[in-house]
Amino acid sequence: MAGRRERKFKFLIVGGGIAGVTCVEQLSSQIPSADVALITAGSHIKAVTNYRQVSKTLEEFDVEERPSSDLEEKFPNLVVIHSAVKSLNTKSHCVETADGRVFGYEKLCICSGGRPKLLTQDHPYVLGIRDTDSAQDFQKRLSKAKRIVVVGNGGIALELVFEVEGCEVIWAVKDKAIGNTFFDAGAAQFLIPSLEADKPDRAVPHKRTRYTTEEPAPGAAQTFTAERSSRGYGSSSTEPGSALGPDWHEGIVLRGAEQVSRRVSLEYQCEVETIFTSEQLLNSPQQTLGPENGSWPVYIKLTNGKTFGCDFVVSATGVVPNTEPFLHGNTFALAEDGGLRVDDQMMTSEPDVYAAGDVCTASWEHSPLWQQMRLWTQARQMGWYAGRCMAAHVQSEPIELDFCFELFSHITKFFNYKVVLLGKFNGQGLGPDQELLVRCTKGQEYVKVILSGGRMVGAVLIGETDLEETFENLILNQMDLTPYGEELLNPNIDIEDYFD
């Protein structure tokens, strides 16, 4: 490496997101005497606050942006290095930063996260939302917008569509239902009326709603409308940082330039075919778009044959592991999704190199009730566990796979409802012998349980159901529930008393 050699650290962590920061905190508290360095490009780090263990595996916490100096004050053994990583040499155990400095390490943990899978790179009218700064950029552009197209069906797309006001939204999803990463069509149908209703605590002069319960045919649109007056704000941003927190839209006013509260049109089972500007449109003879021809800055053609003009396109199609600067000259084993493969001690295939969070792919034999999803909770758990493993290895102590990898569990909020996901909540990888039990009270709660061989293997709970702990126990102890049958979800039976 050509840069100037600085110092060598016992532990070097790359990435100021949740995984990296949690790893640093864990190492610093396990071995307070060890010198630890965190390399991060931004001036702020992501900190877990208000952490609460809800049950054996469920946890809730907030994510806050904090100046990195907070972390250095907390841990005297820590040095924060502000720079991007240029390259890694696993043979000589050193990392070169973009500003030409070289740092040695005894153990390295890569927590560089994911980057947005953009529909197209560097397009002036395509915006990927991944971090706080892109969210602020989005807010600024939205304040002048009358219509946007949102492409994607993950958590950010769901929240975005719900939060945006004063702007028409065309929402293109490749699936038959919204949010299929998180729940099935039934749960989607339960949540959809929230798109028509006005947001809570606001006056509603009048609203027009159209709502269909049957699945729309491919190519058919579903539209939900609520009208209200609105106003717009904007804000500025600086350098890119790590991923957004679960409450990223709080404190950001997402409001467009129109007098409509919320107007969402859904286009199902379609993807983006082409994106073109009004100039390209005017120069192409075969494009005919009716009366709005050429009046929008950008046009998007979907695979269902429809073309929409809009002010800009939001690409919310998930992330790809951010392995870029680490691969050159090294021989990391990569998973099919492009992540760094890690074993059950969070170690990559390169000696003394660990990885945690969105950049890695859990490549050990999973518990039958756990799967990796690139979520906040897992970034925290992996960072915490990677820190424990690194400390144990340095001290030559044995370590066992943490209990959090026994059962998948996640708490979040969509459309103002509490959402709890447990185990194989969508029947992931289960055979045809699975049974579903569903209880739904419109506007209040949606409960779905997945049974396999009479045992509970997954659940989706939307609303204040208070069933998460009972269900978590039933999944963990794999009790045979055949005798209870449909009674399991009978609202008149207090199921907790049954299984105390």
Side-chain angles (χ1 to χ4, degrees):
M1 293 199 169
R4 58 178 198 281
R5 185 74 187 234
E6 305 272 329
R7 55 185 279 204
K8 181 181 177 183
F9 295 93
K10 194 166 197 73
F11 299 116
L12 185 58
I13 287 90
V14 177
I18 286 295
V21 171
T22 309
C23 183
V24 163
E25 291 177 331
Q26 190 57 28
L27 282 167
S28 304
S29 51
Q30 293 257 323
I31 314 181
S33 59
D35 48 338
V36 180
L38 173 67
I39 300 182
T40 173
S43 56
H44 283 68
I45 50 107
K46 287 283 196 287
V48 167
T49 57
N50 306 326
Y51 177 83
R52 197 167 72 83
Q53 189 82 35
V54 179
S55 65
K56 285 192 196 98
T57 63
L58 279 164
E59 50 184 44
E60 270 187 306
F61 54 86
D62 298 324
V63 175
E64 273 180 28
E65 290 223 306
R66 295 263 176 92
S68 56
S69 53
D70 281 16
L71 211 52
E72 287 177 298
E73 280 164 29
K74 195 166 151 193
F75 302 112
N77 61 327
L78 173 70
V79 178
V80 178
I81 297 157
H82 291 288
S83 179
V85 168
K86 184 180 169 189
S87 63
L88 161 66
N89 185 330
T90 56
K91 288 182 188 65
S92 62
H93 279 55
C94 58
V95 168
E96 185 177 3
T97 55
D99 55 13
R101 293 179 289 166
V102 174
F103 299 95
Y105 64 83
E106 201 176 303
K107 301 271 184 198
L108 169 73
C109 192
I110 299 173
C111 304
S112 50
R115 48 188 172 77
K117 264 195 288 218
L118 280 184
L119 293 164
T120 157
Q121 290 300 322
D122 305 321
H123 192 293
Y125 294 107
V126 176
L127 187 63
I129 296 199
R130 164 71 185 164
D131 52 31
T132 337
D133 309 302
S134 54
Q136 287 175 331
D137 181 28
F138 169 68
Q139 175 195 13
K140 204 160 81 184
R141 292 172 72 160
L142 182 65
S143 64
K144 303 182 189 70
K146 294 180 176 173
R147 184 200 284 168
I148 62 171
V149 173
V150 175
V151 182
N153 202 8
I156 284 187
L158 281 170
E159 293 178 41
L160 193 83
V161 168
F162 183 69
E163 291 297 328
V164 163
E165 299 182 18
C167 180
E168 189 185 347
V169 178
I170 313 277
W171 186 10
V173 261
K174 65 178 189 302
D175 312 289
K176 291 180 180 178
I178 60 167
N180 85 323
T181 329
F182 294 99
F183 32 71
D184 61 355
Q189 215 55 64
F190 169 82
L191 287 171
I192 270 186
S194 309
L195 282 180
E196 330 166 349
D198 211 8
K199 295 238 202 88
D201 335 320
R202 303 209 176 126
V204 189
H206 63 285
K207 60 177 182 178
R208 294 199 317 263
T209 54
R210 219 165 40 159
Y211 169 46
T212 61
T213 45
E214 68 280 4
E215 189 180 296
Q222 235 176 330
T223 308
F224 318 102
T225 309
E227 298 205 4
R228 201 173 49 64
S229 66
S230 59
R231 53 192 192 283
Y233 302 107
S235 106
S236 66
S237 74
T238 49
E239 58 190 23
S242 46
L244 289 166
D247 305 311
W248 63 273
H249 45 72
E250 291 191 6
I252 294 187
V253 181
L254 298 181
R255 203 165 279 146
E258 294 286 275
Q259 296 297 301
V260 53
S261 153
R262 206 195 272 126
R263 188 146 130 237
V264 180
S265 304
L266 264 157
E267 296 290 335
Y268 291 101
Q269 288 175 276
C270 63
E271 294 185 59
V272 176
E273 196 172 292
T274 42
I275 297 176
F276 44 92
T277 59
S278 46
E279 294 85 62
Q280 288 168 317
L281 180 74
L282 293 170
N283 298 336
S284 74
Q286 72 277 26
Q287 295 290 354
T288 50
L289 281 186
E292 58 172 39
N293 206 338
S295 59
W296 295 98
V298 65
Y299 290 84
I300 183 162
K301 184 176 186 194
L302 302 175
T303 49
N304 63 8
K306 297 187 187 178
T307 302
F308 295 96
C310 61
D311 290 296
F312 61 92
V313 177
V314 179
S315 174
T317 45
V319 296
V320 283
N322 195 13
T323 55
E324 200 38 58
F326 308 101
L327 302 182
H328 184 72
N330 303 310
T331 52
F332 282 105
L334 295 182
E336 281 177 16
D337 62 10
L340 301 171
R341 287 178 68 103
V342 291
D343 64 13
D344 60 3
Q345 316 250 299
M346 304 309 288
M347 294 185 73
T348 67
S349 59
E350 290 282 13
D352 299 316
V353 180
Y354 300 70
D358 285 3
V359 73
C360 78
T361 303
S363 300
W364 62 85
E365 196 178 323
H366 298 171
S367 142
L369 298 168
W370 186 85
Q371 62 271 342
Q372 182 178 4
M373 286 180 78
R374 286 176 164 82
L375 299 167
W376 288 94
T377 41
Q378 291 191 349
R380 195 204 69 79
Q381 290 166 344
M382 286 178 168
W384 182 86
Y385 178 58
R388 298 237 1 232
C389 290
M390 291 164 83
H393 294 162
V394 162
Q395 295 166 318
S396 305
E397 291 170 0
I399 185 157
E400 287 193 350
L401 185 65
D402 193 82
F403 185 73
C404 67
F405 300 110
E406 204 42 50
L407 171 66
F408 173 87
S409 63
H410 187 58
I411 290 190
T412 184
K413 245 197 160 116
F414 287 124
F415 299 7
N416 274 339
Y417 286 101
K418 174 170 147 186
V419 177
V420 177
L421 308 172
L422 293 170
K424 299 290 180 185
F425 60 88
N426 254 347
Q428 296 96 321
L430 296 178
D433 69 329
Q434 54 173 307
E435 253 185 287
L436 301 186
L437 297 178
V438 177
R439 168 174 112 201
C440 180
T441 311
K442 196 177 174 184
Q444 200 177 331
E445 60 167 28
Y446 176 89
V447 178
K448 179 182 80 168
V449 166
I450 295 162
L451 302 171
S452 178
R455 287 164 170 81
M456 195 183 295
V457 291
V460 175
L461 307 171
I462 304 180
E464 298 297 330
T465 66
D466 288 331
L467 291 170
E468 51 267 36
E469 238 180 308
T470 308
F471 282 7
E472 176 190 60
N473 285 330
L474 290 175
I475 295 174
L476 284 170
N477 67 27
Q478 286 295 287
M479 180 177 163
D480 184 4
L481 300 170
T482 317
Y484 304 100
E486 300 281 317
E487 293 294 281
L488 206 55
L489 292 188
N490 183 340
N492 305 319
I493 291 177
D494 194 350
I495 185 168
E496 286 150 76
D497 297 348
Y498 252 153
F499 301 109
D500 270 354

